[in-house]
Amino acid sequence: MAYLQINSHHFLHNYRAILQALGAHNASKIGIVLKDNAYGHGLKEIAQLAKEAGITTCFVKNTKEALEIAMMFQHITILYPQSLEDTEALQECLKRKNIYFCLSSLEALRLYPKGARIELEVNSGMNRNGIQPQSLKEAFEVICQKGLELVGVFSHNGFGDDFGSEFYAQNHEFLEIKRAVLKLCCHYDLAKPRFHFLSSSGSLRAVKYNDSLPLELQDNLFRIGIAFYGYLCQDSRLCRLDLKPIASLWAKKISTYLLKKGSKIGYSGTSELEEDMLISSYDVGYGDGLFRVREGMELRTKEGLRIYPRASMDCLSIQGDSEELCIFEDVRAWAEAFGTIPYEILAHLHATIPKKIV
């Protein structure tokens, strides 16, 4: 059976690299993003590695993910607002003091029950999710009227990977949002919430800026996602960090054929051999969430063996007859071949693929 091998040493290496870049004084501010099955790596497996590393804060997608790791972290934030749809899971989350709900609209604020612990998302210029800054006062009125507990206020900088002024403009916009929030907390006699704004790339670029702010205006968390898994999608001129991919995808042989020159492989005979060759099929395909290798693509295994188009739903045809092969160790070659980013290739892998931690 195909499996995903998770390298615990690489995870720890990445954590240390991130910590060195952010500074040891910011260690308690590092939170790990575990949403979408830890970007396809396995929610419980990565949560356990993070816990062993001493990380106490994480971010998940929904109530299901939050409850799966509820005992492993001091602070668990549900990033997306499907929580009301599963009444049973919602009630379980409400019972746990360490689980918080992100709310991105005034309408959502009005729907959550009294005592719910919330983090309010504010739009700082990415224009994706969050209330508008001019609606902050109304949001605070609803929070007080409904008896909600304001744990955090956050936003998302959408330009951490890019050159240009937008990254800095958004940092300034969130700074103004934080100032407005502090004034409203004072007015409504609410405790100061925690602030967070920056993901992997943005955190590495703005850590010195954040450290330079007055203590009450500093972000209290850095939301580190893809960097923990061994990747950054920004230009290396913006930030250099020695990261190691933590996941490698392995497949096992199903069958082998000694094929003659001119033989065709798979559906529609897309691939035609230019010489006599051993060809084997291996037990992973697009039915497992792996992107479909198709005509014109040149992808190879870690061992350098060609993967022949077209991929099937449950198997790949690959040069040679090894009993087991590493389909990829670094997913960037696959991302480049499909014109996408590592996130998409990894997050597509099905949660049913077994995980082995080494």
Side-chain angles (χ1 to χ4, degrees):
M1 181 182 292
Y3 62 93
L4 202 64
Q5 183 170 282
I6 306 298
N7 191 314
S8 61
H9 303 288
H10 286 186
F11 180 89
L12 189 57
H13 167 88
N14 294 341
Y15 173 60
R16 288 170 175 163
I18 293 163
L19 183 59
Q20 183 176 7
L22 295 180
H25 63 289
N26 282 319
S28 63
K29 294 184 177 182
I30 296 176
I32 185 169
V33 182
L34 297 173
K35 69 184 181 73
D36 294 289
N37 194 37
Y39 294 29
H41 291 71
L43 175 65
K44 288 184 177 179
E45 289 82 2
I46 304 303
Q48 182 61 38
L49 292 178
K51 179 183 177 183
E52 290 172 1
I55 297 167
T56 60
T57 297
C58 73
F59 299 86
V60 298
K61 182 173 183 175
N62 51 36
T63 52
K64 180 179 181 296
E65 288 190 339
L67 290 172
E68 282 190 47
I69 57 171
M71 304 299 292
M72 301 176 73
F73 296 90
Q74 293 179 24
H75 308 281
I76 301 172
T77 296
I78 298 169
L79 286 170
Y80 285 93
Q82 305 96 337
S83 300
L84 293 172
E85 297 175 10
D86 187 336
T87 305
E88 185 176 347
L90 172 65
Q91 292 304 316
E92 281 299 312
C93 288
L94 288 169
K95 292 176 186 176
R96 299 179 182 273
K97 299 294 185 182
N98 63 328
I99 295 179
Y100 318 133
F101 303 90
C102 287
L103 302 185
S104 304
S105 68
L106 295 172
E107 293 77 13
L109 281 172
R110 295 187 176 98
L111 293 174
Y112 275 73
K114 180 179 180 180
R117 293 162 294 282
I118 68 159
E119 299 212 53
L120 181 65
E121 184 170 9
V122 185
N123 179 27
S124 60
M126 189 176 175
N127 300 319
R128 185 182 65 174
N129 293 313
I131 67 166
Q132 296 292 73
Q134 56 266 32
S135 298
L136 269 170
K137 187 174 187 300
E138 185 176 357
F140 269 72
E141 289 174 352
V142 175
I143 288 168
C144 292
Q145 290 167 4
K146 292 282 296 183
L148 304 174
E149 182 181 339
L150 183 64
V151 174
V153 173
F154 75 104
S155 189
H156 194 94
N157 192 310
F159 301 94
D161 294 331
D162 309 309
F163 288 102
S165 61
E166 292 89 349
F167 175 74
Y168 304 101
Q170 264 204 282
N171 274 292
H172 178 73
E173 180 64 22
F174 190 57
L175 178 61
E176 294 305 309
I177 288 167
K178 289 188 282 189
R179 287 191 172 115
V181 166
L182 292 178
K183 289 180 181 178
L184 288 166
C185 286
C186 183
H187 178 77
Y188 288 99
D189 196 24
L190 295 177
K192 174 187 175 295
R194 65 183 193 175
F195 295 128
H196 48 101
F197 177 51
L198 299 163
S199 54
S200 293
S201 297
S203 298
L204 296 168
R205 289 179 65 183
V207 61
K208 291 182 179 178
Y209 163 75
N210 188 66
D211 286 347
S212 73
L213 296 173
L215 192 60
E216 70 274 11
L217 289 172
Q218 291 181 16
D219 280 14
N220 304 103
L221 286 173
F222 299 114
R223 299 191 306 265
I224 308 297
I226 198 67
F228 266 117
Y229 304 99
Y231 302 93
L232 281 177
C233 294
Q234 62 178 198
D235 191 295
S236 61
R237 289 173 292 177
L238 291 173
C239 178
R240 294 185 183 274
L241 201 63
D242 175 29
L243 299 174
K244 297 181 179 181
I246 69 170
S248 54
L249 180 63
W250 293 76
K252 296 184 179 180
K253 186 175 72 173
I254 300 172
S255 60
T256 299
Y257 296 92
L258 176 57
L259 299 177
K260 297 294 185 181
K261 177 181 178 180
S263 296
K264 296 182 178 181
I265 300 171
Y267 288 111
S268 301
T270 299
S271 294
E272 183 174 336
L273 296 183
E274 297 179 352
E275 58 182 308
D276 294 356
M277 189 179 297
L278 283 171
I279 297 290
S280 299
S281 62
Y282 291 83
D283 61 352
V284 66
Y286 63 83
D288 301 291
L290 187 66
F291 278 28
R292 180 173 174 261
V293 182
R294 58 184 184 271
E295 295 89 332
M297 289 188 165
E298 288 282 345
L299 282 165
R300 295 182 179 272
T301 67
K302 175 189 173 184
E303 298 82 4
L305 302 173
R306 188 181 176 195
I307 302 172
Y308 284 91
R310 301 172 188 166
S312 296
M313 187 178 294
D314 301 300
C315 61
L316 298 174
S317 294
I318 300 176
Q319 173 188 355
D321 64 345
S322 300
E323 291 298 319
E324 186 176 81
L325 288 175
C326 181
I327 305 302
F328 63 72
E329 184 178 49
D330 185 328
V331 82
R332 279 174 286 203
W334 282 69
E336 183 177 348
F338 286 94
T340 186
I341 55 177
Y343 295 75
E344 188 176 9
I345 304 292
L346 294 165
H348 266 79
L349 296 175
H350 287 185
T352 53
I353 297 176
K355 314 297 187 297
K356 294 183 180 181
I357 298 180
V358 297

